[in-house]
Amino acid sequence: MNVCRKVLYQRQKRLRGLYIMLSQTYPLGSTAIVIVDPYNDFMSCRGKLWPFLRKVSLKYSVRENLKRIVAAGRENGVPIAYAPHRHYVSGQFSGRKYLHPSHVGIQLTRVFDEGKFGSRFYDPLLPQQGDLISSYHTCSSGFAETDLHEQLRLRDISHIIIIGYTSNTCVEATARSAVDLDYHVTLVTDAVASWSPEDHYAAIGVNYNELASLVTSTSNIIKDIQTLGQDHV
């Protein structure tokens, strides 16, 4: 039995390697970068949730990597799409029958408080003219009950590179929805962060490999984006 399992594992690994090689081409004009929840409450040193995200964010230079990827996209003609979480307002969950744990946390902490510092986009990642900004998601997935899918399809986007916060919640949920909607999904292991190293690893070390079309690093995805820019010229 152990021999059979080993053979099966090696075969799956070879097939996965072949699939990854075939998946590394990004079509010009059909690729976009989707950045999830780049809010001050997550990313700023003054943010309410930064103390909980600081360790993983700093270990992997996530804030710097997000800036590098977005800058590379802008420089090479790759559209940037923002998938923001709904801002907190008093009573916003009154119509929900069942509260998700994140909703309870939002109520207690007033994270992403509407009109306040924490609900604003992190200054180095502010949207620019021509960027796509979807309607707000209310729980985890950037696609659920938003217009993100419609806006991407209007631009004929088929391949998306998903980055942002947090690794094992909104980023992963957005990726799962994207797969269901038939996108080619790339996830970037050092351009996402979560609450603890264990949470982060559960996403990048386990789930992403079973989910995404391609799992890669910031340095590698920037090279791919720059190749798109060369084709654009």
Side-chain angles (χ1 to χ4, degrees), residues 62-75:
V62 173
R63 295 186 299 184
E64 290 303 315
N65 289 338
L66 290 173
K67 289 187 284 185
R68 290 172 60 203
I69 292 171
V70 170
R74 298 196 195 287
E75 291 166 6

Side-chain angles (χ1 to χ4, degrees), residues 65 68-69 161 186-191 214-224:
N65 289 338
R68 290 172 60 203
I69 292 171
I161 301 158
T186 295
L187 292 166
V188 186
T189 58
D190 54 356
L214 182 66
V215 180
T216 188
S217 66
T218 293
S219 296
N220 286 334
I221 200 62
I222 287 175
K223 291 176 185 176
D224 291 333

Side-chain angles (χ1 to χ4, degrees), residues 19-165:
Y19 177 73
I20 288 173
M21 285 191 294
L22 295 173
S23 297
Q24 284 182 309
T25 300
Y26 294 91
L28 181 64
S30 297
T31 301
I33 297 165
V34 175
I35 182 165
V36 180
D37 296 343
Y39 282 141
N40 282 327
D41 265 343
F42 277 151
M43 301 186 65
S44 170
C45 294
R46 293 165 51 202
K48 292 179 181 177
L49 299 178
W50 174 248
F52 306 100
L53 294 161
R54 181 179 182 276
K55 183 174 183 178
V56 173
S57 295
L58 294 182
K59 178 178 180 179
Y60 294 97
S61 302
V62 173
R63 295 186 299 184
E64 290 303 315
N65 289 338
L66 290 173
K67 289 187 284 185
R68 290 172 60 203
I69 292 171
V70 170
R74 298 196 195 287
E75 291 166 6
N76 292 280
V78 177
I80 311 297
Y82 287 75
H85 198 285
R86 182 180 176 182
H87 297 168
Y88 172 77
V89 293
S90 180
Q92 74 179 70
F93 301 121
S94 59
R96 290 193 71 102
K97 195 172 182 179
Y98 306 108
L99 288 186
H100 186 270
S102 68
H103 296 149
V104 176
I106 288 170
Q107 283 186 316
L108 291 173
T109 62
R110 298 177 67 96
V111 71
F112 314 140
D113 201 355
E114 187 170 56
K116 302 293 180 63
F117 173 79
S119 65
R120 298 173 196 152
F121 289 121
Y122 184 55
D123 193 63
L125 294 172
L126 288 175
Q128 297 184 9
Q129 185 175 2
D131 290 346
L132 182 162
I133 304 176
S134 78
S135 54
Y136 295 129
H137 58 270
T138 59
C139 190
S140 299
S141 171
F143 286 97
E145 300 180 337
T146 76
D147 63 358
L148 179 59
H149 180 52
E150 288 76 13
Q151 290 203 52
L152 290 172
R153 286 303 194 227
L154 281 173
R155 298 194 184 195
D156 295 321
I157 300 299
S158 58
H159 289 53
I160 57 176
I161 301 158
I162 305 177
I163 56 178
Y165 283 78

Side-chain angles (χ1 to χ4, degrees), residues 10 12 27 159 226:
Q10 292 297 333
Q12 289 175 331
H159 289 53
Q226 289 170 340

